[in-house]
Short mmCIF file of all heavy atoms in Angstrom, two decimals:
data_model
loop_
_atom_site.label_atom_id
_atom_site.label_comp_id
_atom_site.label_asym_id
_atom_site.label_seq_id
_atom_site.Cartn_x
_atom_site.Cartn_y
_atom_site.Cartn_z
N MET M 1 117.42 135.82 107.50
CA MET M 1 116.69 136.33 106.38
C MET M 1 117.30 137.58 105.81
O MET M 1 117.35 137.75 104.56
CB MET M 1 115.25 136.65 106.76
CG MET M 1 114.34 135.39 106.94
SD MET M 1 114.24 134.33 105.45
CE MET M 1 113.49 135.40 104.30
N GLU M 2 117.88 138.41 106.65
CA GLU M 2 118.58 139.60 106.21
C GLU M 2 119.77 139.17 105.28
O GLU M 2 120.02 139.76 104.21
CB GLU M 2 119.16 140.38 107.34
CG GLU M 2 118.08 141.14 108.18
CD GLU M 2 118.66 141.85 109.35
OE1 GLU M 2 119.91 142.01 109.39
OE2 GLU M 2 117.88 142.27 110.24
N VAL M 3 120.52 138.15 105.71
CA VAL M 3 121.64 137.62 104.92
C VAL M 3 121.17 137.10 103.60
O VAL M 3 121.74 137.38 102.52
CB VAL M 3 122.38 136.57 105.69
CG1 VAL M 3 123.39 135.85 104.87
CG2 VAL M 3 123.07 137.21 106.91
N PHE M 4 120.11 136.24 103.60
CA PHE M 4 119.63 135.65 102.36
C PHE M 4 119.20 136.71 101.34
O PHE M 4 119.49 136.66 100.18
CB PHE M 4 118.52 134.65 102.64
CG PHE M 4 118.94 133.36 103.22
CD1 PHE M 4 117.95 132.49 103.83
CD2 PHE M 4 120.27 132.94 103.20
CE1 PHE M 4 118.36 131.31 104.42
CE2 PHE M 4 120.63 131.75 103.80
CZ PHE M 4 119.67 130.95 104.38
N LYS M 5 118.52 137.73 101.88
CA LYS M 5 118.07 138.76 100.97
C LYS M 5 119.27 139.58 100.34
O LYS M 5 119.31 139.87 99.18
CB LYS M 5 117.14 139.75 101.73
CG LYS M 5 115.78 139.08 102.01
CD LYS M 5 114.88 140.03 102.82
CE LYS M 5 114.23 141.04 101.95
NZ LYS M 5 113.24 140.41 100.98
N GLU M 6 120.26 139.89 101.20
CA GLU M 6 121.44 140.61 100.73
C GLU M 6 122.22 139.73 99.75
O GLU M 6 122.88 140.24 98.85
CB GLU M 6 122.32 141.09 101.85
CG GLU M 6 123.43 141.94 101.41
CD GLU M 6 124.13 142.71 102.50
OE1 GLU M 6 123.53 143.00 103.59
OE2 GLU M 6 125.29 143.03 102.34
N ALA M 7 122.19 138.43 99.96
CA ALA M 7 122.99 137.54 99.09
C ALA M 7 122.32 137.38 97.74
O ALA M 7 122.86 136.74 96.80
CB ALA M 7 123.07 136.14 99.71
N GLY M 8 121.09 137.91 97.54
CA GLY M 8 120.41 137.89 96.31
C GLY M 8 119.43 136.73 96.11
O GLY M 8 119.08 136.43 94.96
N LEU M 9 119.01 136.10 97.18
CA LEU M 9 118.04 135.06 97.07
C LEU M 9 116.72 135.65 96.51
O LEU M 9 116.15 136.59 97.12
CB LEU M 9 117.78 134.38 98.43
CG LEU M 9 116.83 133.20 98.42
CD1 LEU M 9 117.40 132.00 97.72
CD2 LEU M 9 116.41 132.81 99.85
N PRO M 10 116.20 135.14 95.41
CA PRO M 10 114.99 135.74 94.87
C PRO M 10 113.81 135.65 95.80
O PRO M 10 113.67 134.72 96.52
CB PRO M 10 114.76 134.89 93.57
CG PRO M 10 116.11 134.36 93.16
CD PRO M 10 116.76 134.08 94.53
N ASP M 11 112.94 136.63 95.71
CA ASP M 11 111.74 136.71 96.55
C ASP M 11 110.93 135.42 96.32
O ASP M 11 110.74 134.96 95.28
CB ASP M 11 110.95 137.94 96.21
CG ASP M 11 111.60 139.24 96.50
OD1 ASP M 11 112.47 139.27 97.44
OD2 ASP M 11 111.34 140.25 95.81
N GLY M 12 110.44 134.91 97.42
CA GLY M 12 109.53 133.76 97.41
C GLY M 12 110.17 132.40 97.44
O GLY M 12 109.48 131.41 97.60
N VAL M 13 111.52 132.34 97.35
CA VAL M 13 112.18 131.04 97.37
C VAL M 13 112.18 130.45 98.78
O VAL M 13 111.87 129.33 98.98
CB VAL M 13 113.62 131.14 96.82
CG1 VAL M 13 114.40 129.85 97.01
CG2 VAL M 13 113.64 131.53 95.37
N ILE M 14 112.41 131.35 99.80
CA ILE M 14 112.30 130.93 101.18
C ILE M 14 111.39 131.96 101.84
O ILE M 14 111.69 133.11 101.87
CB ILE M 14 113.64 130.91 101.92
CG1 ILE M 14 114.53 129.76 101.29
CG2 ILE M 14 113.43 130.67 103.37
CD1 ILE M 14 115.95 129.66 101.90
N ASN M 15 110.25 131.49 102.33
CA ASN M 15 109.26 132.38 102.98
C ASN M 15 109.23 132.03 104.45
O ASN M 15 109.05 130.85 104.84
CB ASN M 15 107.88 132.18 102.39
CG ASN M 15 107.90 132.38 100.85
OD1 ASN M 15 107.76 133.53 100.39
ND2 ASN M 15 108.14 131.33 100.12
N MET M 16 109.40 133.04 105.32
CA MET M 16 109.46 132.83 106.74
C MET M 16 108.14 133.09 107.35
O MET M 16 107.63 134.28 107.30
CB MET M 16 110.56 133.69 107.41
CG MET M 16 110.81 133.29 108.85
SD MET M 16 112.20 134.20 109.63
CE MET M 16 111.39 135.72 110.10
N ILE M 17 107.48 132.12 107.96
CA ILE M 17 106.20 132.20 108.62
C ILE M 17 106.34 131.90 110.10
O ILE M 17 106.97 130.86 110.48
CB ILE M 17 105.18 131.23 108.00
CG1 ILE M 17 105.01 131.68 106.49
CG2 ILE M 17 103.90 131.18 108.72
CD1 ILE M 17 104.25 132.98 106.37
N ILE M 18 105.74 132.67 110.96
CA ILE M 18 105.84 132.58 112.42
C ILE M 18 104.43 132.53 112.92
O ILE M 18 103.58 133.27 112.43
CB ILE M 18 106.63 133.68 113.07
CG1 ILE M 18 107.87 134.06 112.20
CG2 ILE M 18 107.01 133.37 114.48
CD1 ILE M 18 108.23 135.49 112.32
N GLY M 19 104.14 131.76 113.98
CA GLY M 19 102.86 131.75 114.57
C GLY M 19 102.51 130.41 115.23
O GLY M 19 103.41 129.64 115.58
N ASP M 20 101.24 130.16 115.38
CA ASP M 20 100.79 128.96 115.98
C ASP M 20 101.28 127.71 115.26
O ASP M 20 100.93 127.54 114.07
CB ASP M 20 99.27 128.89 116.10
CG ASP M 20 98.76 127.63 116.64
OD1 ASP M 20 99.00 127.33 117.84
OD2 ASP M 20 98.10 126.87 115.97
N PRO M 21 102.16 126.86 115.86
CA PRO M 21 102.73 125.75 115.10
C PRO M 21 101.71 124.79 114.53
O PRO M 21 101.84 124.27 113.35
CB PRO M 21 103.64 125.08 116.14
CG PRO M 21 103.85 126.06 117.16
CD PRO M 21 102.62 126.97 117.21
N GLU M 22 100.66 124.50 115.28
CA GLU M 22 99.72 123.46 114.80
C GLU M 22 98.92 124.00 113.64
O GLU M 22 98.65 123.35 112.66
CB GLU M 22 98.77 123.10 115.93
CG GLU M 22 97.85 121.91 115.58
CD GLU M 22 97.14 121.35 116.78
OE1 GLU M 22 97.32 121.91 117.93
OE2 GLU M 22 96.37 120.39 116.58
N MET M 23 98.55 125.26 113.68
CA MET M 23 97.75 125.90 112.58
C MET M 23 98.60 125.96 111.33
O MET M 23 98.15 125.59 110.25
CB MET M 23 97.32 127.35 112.96
CG MET M 23 96.54 128.06 111.88
SD MET M 23 97.57 128.93 110.61
CE MET M 23 98.29 130.19 111.65
N ILE M 24 99.85 126.35 111.51
CA ILE M 24 100.75 126.48 110.32
C ILE M 24 100.95 125.07 109.67
O ILE M 24 100.85 124.93 108.45
CB ILE M 24 102.06 127.10 110.73
CG1 ILE M 24 101.88 128.55 111.15
CG2 ILE M 24 103.05 127.00 109.56
CD1 ILE M 24 103.15 129.19 111.71
N THR M 25 101.23 124.11 110.56
CA THR M 25 101.48 122.78 110.07
C THR M 25 100.27 122.15 109.40
O THR M 25 100.35 121.58 108.26
CB THR M 25 101.97 121.85 111.19
OG1 THR M 25 103.22 122.36 111.67
CG2 THR M 25 102.15 120.39 110.75
N ASP M 26 99.12 122.31 109.99
CA ASP M 26 97.90 121.83 109.40
C ASP M 26 97.62 122.43 107.99
O ASP M 26 97.12 121.77 107.07
CB ASP M 26 96.68 121.97 110.34
CG ASP M 26 96.74 121.08 111.55
OD1 ASP M 26 97.51 120.09 111.54
OD2 ASP M 26 95.98 121.31 112.50
N THR M 27 97.83 123.67 107.94
CA THR M 27 97.58 124.43 106.68
C THR M 27 98.59 123.98 105.65
O THR M 27 98.16 123.70 104.45
CB THR M 27 97.69 125.95 106.85
OG1 THR M 27 96.85 126.37 107.92
CG2 THR M 27 97.37 126.71 105.59
N VAL M 28 99.81 123.80 105.96
CA VAL M 28 100.84 123.32 105.02
C VAL M 28 100.48 121.90 104.55
O VAL M 28 100.48 121.59 103.31
CB VAL M 28 102.22 123.39 105.65
CG1 VAL M 28 103.18 122.55 104.84
CG2 VAL M 28 102.72 124.81 105.79
N LEU M 29 100.17 121.04 105.50
CA LEU M 29 100.01 119.60 105.15
C LEU M 29 98.71 119.37 104.41
O LEU M 29 98.53 118.30 103.78
CB LEU M 29 100.07 118.79 106.37
CG LEU M 29 101.36 118.80 107.17
CD1 LEU M 29 101.34 117.71 108.28
CD2 LEU M 29 102.57 118.51 106.26
N ALA M 30 97.82 120.34 104.35
CA ALA M 30 96.58 120.24 103.63
C ALA M 30 96.78 120.57 102.20
O ALA M 30 95.87 120.29 101.37
CB ALA M 30 95.54 121.12 104.25
N SER M 31 97.94 121.16 101.82
CA SER M 31 98.11 121.59 100.38
C SER M 31 98.51 120.38 99.54
O SER M 31 99.36 119.64 99.93
CB SER M 31 99.24 122.63 100.36
OG SER M 31 99.60 122.83 99.01
N PRO M 32 97.82 120.23 98.44
CA PRO M 32 98.19 119.14 97.46
C PRO M 32 99.65 119.24 96.95
O PRO M 32 100.24 118.27 96.48
CB PRO M 32 97.18 119.34 96.29
CG PRO M 32 96.08 120.13 96.91
CD PRO M 32 96.69 121.06 97.89
N ASP M 33 100.20 120.46 97.07
CA ASP M 33 101.56 120.72 96.51
C ASP M 33 102.63 120.51 97.59
O ASP M 33 103.81 120.71 97.29
CB ASP M 33 101.64 122.16 96.02
CG ASP M 33 100.76 122.39 94.78
OD1 ASP M 33 101.11 121.79 93.73
OD2 ASP M 33 99.79 123.12 94.85
N PHE M 34 102.23 120.04 98.74
CA PHE M 34 103.25 119.74 99.79
C PHE M 34 104.13 118.58 99.30
O PHE M 34 103.58 117.55 98.92
CB PHE M 34 102.55 119.36 101.07
CG PHE M 34 103.48 118.73 102.14
CD1 PHE M 34 104.43 119.49 102.72
CD2 PHE M 34 103.39 117.38 102.43
CE1 PHE M 34 105.27 118.93 103.69
CE2 PHE M 34 104.17 116.82 103.37
CZ PHE M 34 105.14 117.57 104.04
#
């Protein structure tokens, strides 16, 4: 992430989320925009 930011990747293009895998996956897969 440090490299991507220094390389000029615009904010929000890659968002790094860490935590409970099942909760994250269930939340992501519930989105109509997935």
Side-chain angles (χ1 to χ4, degrees):
M1 286 303 298
E2 290 177 13
V3 169
F4 285 164
K5 290 178 78 69
E6 186 167 334
L9 184 69
D11 294 331
V13 173
I14 294 176
N15 304 273
M16 189 175 83
I17 294 293
I18 317 147
D20 177 64
E22 188 169 2
M23 179 276 293
I24 294 173
T25 296
D26 287 347
T27 305
V28 165
L29 299 185
S31 171
D33 293 293
F34 169 70

